């Protein structure tokens, strides 16, 4: 676990350095990355919900036969 934290911190430091060298606010970049994470999670959750709904519909159709 310590290794993961070390790698993550190294990546954050590198991103901060890149942002600084390009004149970009790191906090803005962090918010952008967070919004992309949320978007991906919402997309995945939507897919899972569609799958659940589809399975429920199949089960109901099978019971009605």
């Amino acid at each position: 676990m310590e290794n993961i934290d070390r790698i993550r911190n190294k990546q954050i430091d590198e991103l901060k350095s890149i942002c600084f060298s390009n004149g970009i606010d790191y906090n803005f970049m962090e918010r952008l990355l967070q919004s992309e994470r949320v978007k991906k999670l919402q997309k995945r959750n939507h897919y899972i919900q569609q799958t659940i709904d589809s399975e429920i519909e199949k089960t109901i159709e099978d019971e009605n036969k």
Side-chain angles (χ1 to χ4, degrees):
M1 189 71 168
E2 183 178 314
N3 194 29
I4 293 171
D5 290 335
R6 186 175 49 79
I7 291 170
R8 185 174 189 276
N9 289 333
K10 183 179 177 185
Q11 289 175 335
I12 290 171
D13 290 341
E14 189 173 330
L15 179 59
K16 285 179 181 179
S17 174
I18 292 169
C19 287
F20 180 75
S21 67
N22 289 307
I24 299 170
D25 182 19
Y26 169 75
N27 292 323
F28 173 76
M29 187 61 67
E30 186 63 34
R31 285 192 306 265
L32 180 63
L33 290 170
Q34 184 63 27
S35 70
E36 286 298 315
R37 287 183 196 112
V38 169
K39 188 167 81 172
K40 284 183 179 182
L41 286 172
Q42 287 174 335
K43 188 175 182 179
R44 187 175 71 191
N45 287 345
H46 180 71
Y47 172 76
I48 291 170
Q49 188 61 50
Q50 281 183 323
T51 304
I52 291 170
D53 291 346
S54 174
E55 289 300 316
I56 290 171
E57 288 175 8
K58 286 181 189 175
T59 302
I60 291 173
E61 287 176 8
D62 289 344
E63 289 178 355
N64 288 335
K65 288 183 179 180

